[in-house]
Amino acid sequence: MKGTHHPTGRRTDGPGRVLGLLLALVTLIGLTGTTAFAAPSHRDTSPARPPRLAAGPMDTVAAMQPSWNLGNSLDAIPGETSWGNPPVTKALFDTIKAQGFRSVRIPVTWTDHQSSTAPYTIDAAWMNRVKQVVDWALADGLHVVINVHHDSWQWLSGMSTDHDNVVARFRAAWTQIAARFRDSSQALLFESVNEPQFDNTTDAQGIQYLKELDTAFHTVVRQSGGNNATRLLVLPSLHTNSDQIYLDALVSEMKSLNDPNLVATVHYYGWYPFSVNIAGGTRFDATAQKDMTDHFTRIRDTLTSKGIPVYLGEYSLLHYPDQNHPSRVEAGEALKYFEQFGYEARAAGVTTALWDPGTFAFMDRATLQWTDPALIAAIKSSWTTRSGTASSDRIFLAKSSAITAKTLTLNPNGLTFQGLWQGGTRLVQGRDYTVSDGRLTLTASALTRLAGSRAYGINSTIEARFSRGLPWKIHVTTYDRPVLSDTSGGTGGLTVPTRFRGDLLATMEAKYADGGNAGPTDWTPFQEFNETFSPDYPGDGISLTSAFLNSLRDNAQATLTFHFWSGATVTYRVTKNGGSVTGTVA
């Protein structure tokens, strides 16, 4: 992950990503046992070759499932606490182990701790700190992956214009890392580079540069001897992208290295519009589901089915969870994403490492508590089984209207629906709800009881339970169409007074009178959540950001359509004139 204080936009997953032409599949490699390639052809110069791990690479990587990332700590720039996380402690790894994780990826950025000129020396204090943290994790019986992380975009990306210095610095970094960890347990894996990318290059050029770096990495580590002679080495595809062109190139590269102890790695953050909530990507819909299914199909067909172990080094959603900002992704849609992700990974035989940037996201590293217990429970459940879901986790009831029956579509995911519960009370089928052809309908009488006083917001929560996995929570919610008011201000930011009245904002559509898209993202009328607009529920407002306002044409009225999760829409008009902005109700 190219990090700031929290995950940022991917460079390869958006609508502008290079799709690449499919290359012919490489010649299938003869396989024996659990190894994908023949034994290494290089000679081992170490005095005594240490024994191999008892398990083969496929078994070892499988034993690393599930995995967790110590994100935004040792990879933070310029130092460990620069991005808001406290110093790493042994207690953190104790907690991660107790929570069921079997391995950890410890991203490390070396840039600010390594001289930028020959001999490219790594600061001893930094190396000692990395070693201390790695040893803590190993002491807990965890497998550990370390790498060269944000260096990938800080200086490695300049390889096309500074080739010799980049290669020399990369070799020097791994020479020092390999020497320091030479005698560490073989439960430690080395990953050559995180999310490799190269400025101003074609795919073909980038693939060749990556092969050159990986070959140097492989040679340096193997020649360092000790446990490094057979240590598992993790090699990424270009951009850690799973498009076929990149997977084929990675297979070819691994074959050329002729080493059985290699592991492939890619990352996954979902269908880009859904992952950041842009272009109307508010739901984990058929398009987002297919993107995930296709990702794992390519991995299975190209790698795991051929005996090549895969460690999926990062997964999550790009901007979810984020406790510091309004949620871009609706909670139920996120749960569906993580539920299917776990299933697809298991079916493909892939070990997965949750990207956790720290205190504002999954694990609060100050308290060692999960920030969203329901979310982590769903992720944990997905490691071993499926869970049933539904088309939504909310039923909206308009306060201004009489209550009528409401229907959701059940997604059993191969399980059997067993009924509805409110706490310890089972609802009565036929009286409170009916199920027909996968459609769950709650009766008007049951909803009237569940709505209670009909105060705005969630009135009650019921659970759809299935034969296995976690129950699907359904929040019975009272709302009325939100009400916006006129306002004025400057281009530094404008807050539109809003009475949400129990509803939740899903997305914002922005267009000019001539039909053109308004806003900084001009390829879609649906602007990016939190980057251009953001709800402030406690403050009764919708914020329009400076990025959005400054992108508007002067004196060209933009019509904004706010879409809410109830299905309600509200139209609003904004006009910029120099540094001033006026907003009016349509």
Side-chain angles (χ1 to χ4, degrees), residues 53-67:
L53 294 172
M58 285 289 284
D59 295 329
T60 299
V61 173
M64 293 168 61
Q65 174 68 5
S67 192

Side-chain angles (χ1 to χ4, degrees), residues 37-53:
F37 304 112
S41 58
H42 67 268
R43 298 185 64 184
D44 181 14
T45 58
S46 61
R49 191 179 184 89
R52 290 192 178 190
L53 294 172

Side-chain angles (χ1 to χ4, degrees), residues 66-80:
S67 192
W68 176 85
N69 270 276
L70 180 70
N72 286 14
S73 282
L74 297 188
D75 58 313
I77 300 169
E80 182 177 353

